[in-house]
Coordinates of all heavy atoms in Angstrom, one line a residue:
A543 N -34.2 2.9 -18.6 CA -34.3 4.3 -18.8 C -35.6 4.6 -19.6 O -35.7 4.0 -20.7 CB -33.1 4.8 -19.5
T544 N -36.5 5.5 -19.1 CA -37.7 5.8 -19.7 C -37.7 7.3 -19.9 O -37.5 8.1 -19.0 CB -38.9 5.3 -18.9 OG1 -38.9 3.9 -18.8 CG2 -40.2 5.7 -19.6
R545 N -38.0 7.7 -21.2 CA -38.2 9.2 -21.4 C -39.5 9.3 -22.3 O -39.8 8.4 -23.1 CB -37.0 9.8 -22.2 CG -35.8 10.1 -21.3 CD -34.8 9.1 -21.4 NE -33.6 9.5 -20.5 CZ -32.4 9.0 -20.7 NH1 -32.2 8.1 -21.7 NH2 -31.4 9.3 -19.9
G546 N -40.2 10.4 -22.1 CA -41.4 10.6 -22.9 C -42.1 11.8 -22.4 O -41.6 12.7 -21.7
A547 N -43.4 11.8 -22.7 CA -44.3 12.9 -22.4 C -45.7 12.4 -22.0 O -46.1 11.3 -22.5 CB -44.5 13.9 -23.6
Q548 N -46.3 13.1 -21.1 CA -47.7 12.7 -20.7 C -48.4 14.1 -20.5 O -47.9 15.1 -20.1 CB -47.8 11.9 -19.4 CG -47.2 12.6 -18.2 CD -47.2 11.7 -17.0 OE1 -46.2 11.7 -16.2 NE2 -48.3 11.0 -16.7
W549 N -49.7 14.1 -20.9 CA -50.5 15.3 -20.7 C -52.0 15.0 -20.6 O -52.4 13.9 -21.1 CB -50.2 16.3 -21.8 CG -50.6 15.9 -23.2 CD1 -51.8 16.3 -23.8 CD2 -49.9 15.1 -24.1 NE1 -51.8 15.7 -25.1 CE2 -50.7 15.0 -25.3 CE3 -48.7 14.4 -24.1 CZ2 -50.3 14.3 -26.4 CZ3 -48.3 13.7 -25.2 CH2 -49.0 13.6 -26.3
F550 N -52.7 15.9 -20.0 CA -54.1 15.7 -19.9 C -54.8 16.5 -21.1 O -54.5 17.6 -21.4 CB -54.6 16.3 -18.6 CG -54.2 15.5 -17.4 CD1 -53.0 15.9 -16.7 CD2 -54.9 14.4 -17.0 CE1 -52.6 15.2 -15.6 CE2 -54.5 13.7 -15.9 CZ -53.3 14.1 -15.2
S551 N -55.7 15.8 -21.8 CA -56.5 16.4 -22.8 C -57.9 16.4 -22.3 O -58.8 15.8 -22.9 CB -56.4 15.7 -24.1 OG -56.5 14.3 -23.9
N552 N -58.1 17.1 -21.2 CA -59.3 17.1 -20.4 C -60.0 18.4 -20.5 O -59.5 19.5 -20.2 CB -59.0 16.8 -19.0 CG -60.2 16.4 -18.2 OD1 -61.3 17.1 -18.3 ND2 -60.2 15.4 -17.4
G553 N -61.3 18.4 -21.0 CA -62.0 19.7 -21.2 C -62.2 20.4 -19.9 O -62.6 21.6 -19.9
W554 N -61.9 19.8 -18.7 CA -62.1 20.5 -17.4 C -60.7 21.0 -17.0 O -60.6 21.6 -15.8 CB -62.6 19.6 -16.4 CG -64.0 19.1 -16.7 CD1 -64.4 17.9 -17.2 CD2 -65.3 19.9 -16.6 NE1 -65.8 17.9 -17.4 CE2 -66.3 19.0 -17.0 CE3 -65.5 21.2 -16.1 CZ2 -67.7 19.5 -17.0 CZ3 -66.8 21.6 -16.1 CH2 -67.9 20.8 -16.6
A555 N -59.7 20.9 -17.7 CA -58.3 21.3 -17.3 C -57.8 22.3 -18.3 O -57.9 22.1 -19.5 CB -57.4 20.1 -17.2
D556 N -57.3 23.4 -17.8 CA -56.5 24.4 -18.6 C -57.4 25.0 -19.7 O -56.8 25.5 -20.7 CB -55.3 23.8 -19.2 CG -54.3 23.3 -18.2 OD1 -54.1 24.0 -17.2 OD2 -53.8 22.2 -18.3
G557 N -58.7 25.0 -19.5 CA -59.5 25.6 -20.6 C -59.3 24.9 -21.9 O -59.4 25.5 -23.0
A558 N -59.1 23.7 -21.9 CA -58.8 22.9 -23.1 C -60.0 22.9 -24.0 O -61.2 22.8 -23.6 CB -58.4 21.5 -22.8
Y559 N -59.8 23.0 -25.3 CA -60.8 22.8 -26.3 C -60.3 22.2 -27.6 O -59.1 22.1 -27.8 CB -61.5 24.2 -26.6 CG -60.6 25.2 -27.3 CD1 -60.6 25.4 -28.7 CD2 -59.7 26.0 -26.5 CE1 -59.8 26.3 -29.3 CE2 -59.0 27.0 -27.1 CZ -59.0 27.1 -28.5 OH -58.2 28.1 -29.1
F560 N -61.2 21.6 -28.4 CA -60.8 20.8 -29.5 C -61.5 21.3 -30.7 O -62.7 21.5 -30.8 CB -61.3 19.3 -29.2 CG -60.8 18.8 -27.9 CD1 -61.5 19.0 -26.7 CD2 -59.6 18.1 -27.7 CE1 -61.1 18.5 -25.5 CE2 -59.1 17.6 -26.6 CZ -59.8 17.9 -25.4
T561 N -60.7 21.3 -31.8 CA -61.2 21.8 -33.1 C -60.9 20.7 -34.1 O -60.1 19.8 -34.0 CB -60.5 23.1 -33.5 OG1 -59.1 22.9 -33.6 CG2 -60.8 24.2 -32.5
D562 N -61.7 20.9 -35.2 CA -61.5 19.9 -36.4 C -61.6 18.5 -36.0 O -60.9 17.6 -36.5 CB -60.2 20.2 -37.1 CG -60.0 21.6 -37.6 OD1 -61.0 22.1 -38.1 OD2 -59.0 22.2 -37.4
V563 N -62.5 18.2 -35.0 CA -62.7 16.8 -34.6 C -63.4 16.0 -35.6 O -64.5 16.4 -36.0 CB -63.4 16.8 -33.2 CG1 -63.7 15.3 -32.8 CG2 -62.6 17.5 -32.2
V564 N -62.8 14.9 -36.0 CA -63.5 13.9 -36.9 C -63.9 12.7 -36.0 O -63.0 12.0 -35.5 CB -62.6 13.5 -38.0 CG1 -63.2 12.4 -38.9 CG2 -62.2 14.7 -38.9
A565 N -65.2 12.5 -35.9 CA -65.7 11.4 -35.1 C -66.2 10.2 -36.0 O -66.7 10.4 -37.1 CB -66.8 11.9 -34.2
E566 N -66.1 9.1 -35.4 CA -66.5 7.9 -36.1 C -67.4 7.0 -35.2 O -67.2 7.0 -34.0 CB -65.3 7.0 -36.5 CG -65.5 5.7 -37.2 CD -64.2 5.0 -37.4 OE1 -63.6 5.3 -38.4 OE2 -63.9 4.1 -36.6
D567 N -68.5 6.5 -35.8 CA -69.4 5.6 -35.0 C -68.7 4.3 -34.7 O -68.4 3.5 -35.7 CB -70.7 5.5 -35.7 CG -71.7 4.7 -34.9 OD1 -71.5 3.5 -34.6 OD2 -72.7 5.3 -34.5
V568 N -68.5 3.9 -33.5 CA -68.0 2.6 -33.1 C -69.0 2.0 -32.0 O -69.1 2.6 -30.9 CB -66.6 2.8 -32.5 CG1 -66.1 1.4 -32.0 CG2 -65.6 3.4 -33.5
G569 N -69.6 1.0 -32.4 CA -70.5 0.3 -31.5 C -71.6 1.2 -30.9 O -72.1 1.0 -29.8
G570 N -72.1 2.1 -31.8 CA -73.2 3.0 -31.4 C -72.8 4.2 -30.7 O -73.6 5.0 -30.3
S571 N -71.5 4.4 -30.5 CA -71.0 5.6 -29.8 C -70.0 6.4 -30.8 O -69.3 5.8 -31.6 CB -70.2 5.3 -28.6 OG -71.1 4.7 -27.6

Side-chain angles (χ1 to χ4, degrees):
T544 297
R545 280 101 180 200
Q548 62 182 137
W549 67 97
F550 293 93
S551 46
N552 192 314
W554 297 103
D556 299 320
Y559 63 99
F560 306 87
T561 60
D562 300 319
V563 175
V564 176
E566 179 182 276
D567 186 292
V568 178
S571 296

